[in-house]
């Protein structure tokens, strides 16, 4: 009798532990957002704001060490020559960020306390300089008037010297934008705020988990994820998915939507960081320091070629208060052998020299008196653009293997170099698609059209046509 009781007790304990283990190895959520960078975090916040149950999963820890959302500065601007789309994306992102800040403050402060959160933590208002050849003048002028941008523009060396104290080459113009919250934004701070807000809404951010597999049944998705710290697998059951994994889109969706392997082309870009040596910087006149500060951020196309163009900004100030300059080339792109390894790829000497040369020449254009030996190389790292053929991103419901729209998944991909400044709006677009919500203004509808399912279907059909 006692032996029977012992057997039953062992069976009970085994059953309890088995059930407990299965529970620990399985997570259930209504919506899974894959990718905790700017795009995924924004989408997860927008869905959380609508009262949805969301799990945001990110393969890195809470402090990122690589990826397209890494860093403390991106150019954020209202003015965009030739297309109102990017202007709209930035301006709407500013409004969405204000809403985020208001939510955070409402949860953390009493009426009598000082606000803990400020939009100035994310946006730094600075004049944004655009330098280009005179041949763009008419198109630029038209777009500036249409977009209602506060700006000043000079088109001759004499005007540039008088108004900006800048040495402008012949046949080159400078436009400077002076809009509030136009300048730079801090991705690191914005992601941190988004994750905080998501958690305040009762949802979870799961770090250090990598997606291994996605399977779809008639009722749900079954997603296998690996805890990269413990090497343990978990299964996530969800009804809907937002995919926001940038250059990894083709790999993640290879079994569900293999066409993304061809539609999204990852390309390596590089970023280099410099600063003026401390003793030299402190010897600069106040006018030179003012020219330096007012000259960044900049988008410089004075060379007249894509390869010669660059973007540059102040990433941060070091412990001595010396500005650290970040420079990169929007069209300095190269093929990738291994997507997982590219983030660790060092800059070549040629890339360092290109970055140094353009930084030094631009500082001289700003009348900052330094020589090559006065400029210190701090570091450089590789980043990745995920590119579509026309370099317009995709924010769309998935198209399945049978050519049907799958409303249970939204894909955000192909952000290229235009993602950061519009990230909050991309998140809004993804959330609206997932929940079948829609704004009425015409530009919003136009953006949904050029980034959504109709466009994705056209891209897929073009792939099939080319294959034939």
């Amino acid at each position: 009798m006692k032996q029977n009781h012992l057997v039953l007790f062992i069976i009970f304990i085994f059953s309890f532990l088995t059930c407990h283990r299965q529970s620990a190895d399985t997570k259930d959520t209504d919506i899974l957002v894959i990718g905790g960078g700017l795009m995924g975090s924004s989408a997860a916040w927008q869905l959380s704001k609508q009262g949805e149950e969301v799990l945001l999963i990110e393969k890195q820890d809470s402090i990122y060490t690589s990826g397209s959302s890494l860093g403390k500065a991106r150019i954020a601007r209202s003015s965009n020559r030739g297309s109102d789309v990017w202007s709209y994306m930035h301006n709407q992102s500013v409004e969405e960020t204000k809403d985020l800040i208001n939510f955070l403050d409402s949860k953390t402060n009493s009426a009598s306390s000082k606000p803990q959160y400020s939009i100035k933590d994310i946006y730094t208002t600075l004049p944004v300089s655009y330098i280009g050849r005179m041949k763009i003048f008419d198109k630029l002028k038209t777009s500036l008037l249409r977009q209602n941008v506060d700006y000043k523009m000079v088109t001759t060396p004499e005007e540039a010297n008088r108004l900006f104290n800048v040495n402008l080459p012949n046949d080159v113009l400078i436009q400077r934008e002076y809009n509030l919250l136009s300048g730079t934004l801090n991705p690191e701070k914005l992601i941190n705020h988004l994750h905080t807000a998501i958690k305040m809404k009762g949802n979870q951010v799961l770090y250090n988990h990598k997606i291994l597999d996605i399977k779809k049944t008639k009722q749900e998705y079954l997603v296998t994820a690996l805890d990269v710290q413990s090497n343990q697998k978990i299964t996530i059951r969800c009804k809907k998915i937002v995919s926001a994994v940038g250059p990894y889109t083709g790999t993640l969706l290879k079994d569900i939507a293999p066409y993304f392997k061809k539609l999204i082309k990852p390309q390596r870009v590089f970023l280099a960081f410099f600063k003026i040596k401390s003793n030299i910087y402190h010897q600069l006149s106040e006018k030179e320091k003012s020219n330096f500060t007012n000259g960044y951020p900049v988008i410089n196309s004075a060379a007249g070629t894509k390869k010669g163009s660059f973007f540059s900004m102040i990433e941060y100030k070091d412990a001595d208060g010396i500005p650290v300059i970040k420079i990169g080339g929007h069209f300095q792109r190269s093929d990738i052998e291994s997507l997982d390894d590219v983030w660790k790829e060092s800059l070549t000497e040629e890339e360092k020299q290109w970055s140094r040369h353009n930084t030094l020449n631009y500082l001289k254009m700003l009348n900052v008196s330094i020589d090559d030996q006065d400029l210190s190389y701090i570091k450089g790292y590789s980043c990745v653009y995920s590119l579509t053929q026309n370099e317009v991103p995709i924010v769309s419901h998935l198209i399945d293997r049978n050519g049907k729209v799958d409303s249970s998944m939204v894909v955000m991909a192909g952000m290229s170099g235009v993602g950061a400044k519009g990230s909050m709006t991309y998140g809004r677009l993804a959330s609206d698609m997932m929940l079948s919500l829609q704004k009425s203004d015409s530009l919003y509808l136009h953006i949904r059209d050029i980034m959504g399912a109709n466009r994705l279907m056209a891209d897929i059909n073009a792939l099939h046509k080319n294959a034939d």
Side-chain angles (χ1 to χ4, degrees), residues 221-271:
Y221 286 99
L222 297 176
V223 180
T224 305
L226 176 70
D227 184 330
V228 297
Q229 292 182 321
S230 69
N231 207 36
Q232 297 296 308
K233 293 181 182 179
I234 65 169
T235 298
I236 303 168
R237 297 186 301 206
C238 57
K239 298 173 185 175
K240 299 178 180 180
I241 291 177
V242 175
S243 168
V245 296
Y248 291 93
T249 301
T251 302
L252 178 71
L253 303 179
K254 64 182 185 302
D255 297 325
I256 298 174
Y259 54 81
F260 274 117
K261 273 282 191 179
K262 295 182 179 180
L263 287 185
I264 304 296
K265 183 180 181 182
Q267 289 259 279
R268 173 185 175 267
V269 294
F270 61 85
L271 296 166

Side-chain angles (χ1 to χ4, degrees), residues 391-411:
E391 304 205 4
V392 174
I394 293 168
V395 183
S396 170
H397 284 119
L398 186 80
I399 308 293
D400 67 18
R401 287 175 173 272
N402 299 317
K404 294 182 179 180
V405 176
D406 181 354
S407 60
S408 64
M409 181 181 287
V410 171
V411 180

Side-chain angles (χ1 to χ4, degrees), residues 6 13 69 78 91 114 120 122 153 189 193 200 211 241 276 285 317 337 342 355 360 365 386 404 427:
L6 180 60
I13 293 298
S69 295
S78 294
N91 293 332
K114 183 179 179 181
K120 292 180 181 178
I122 297 169
M153 184 157 57
K189 185 69 72 172
H193 283 12
M200 285 180 176
I211 302 299
I241 291 177
I276 300 172
S285 68
K317 290 187 177 180
E337 291 185 9
V342 68
S355 304
L360 188 64
M365 185 186 294
S386 56
K404 294 182 179 180

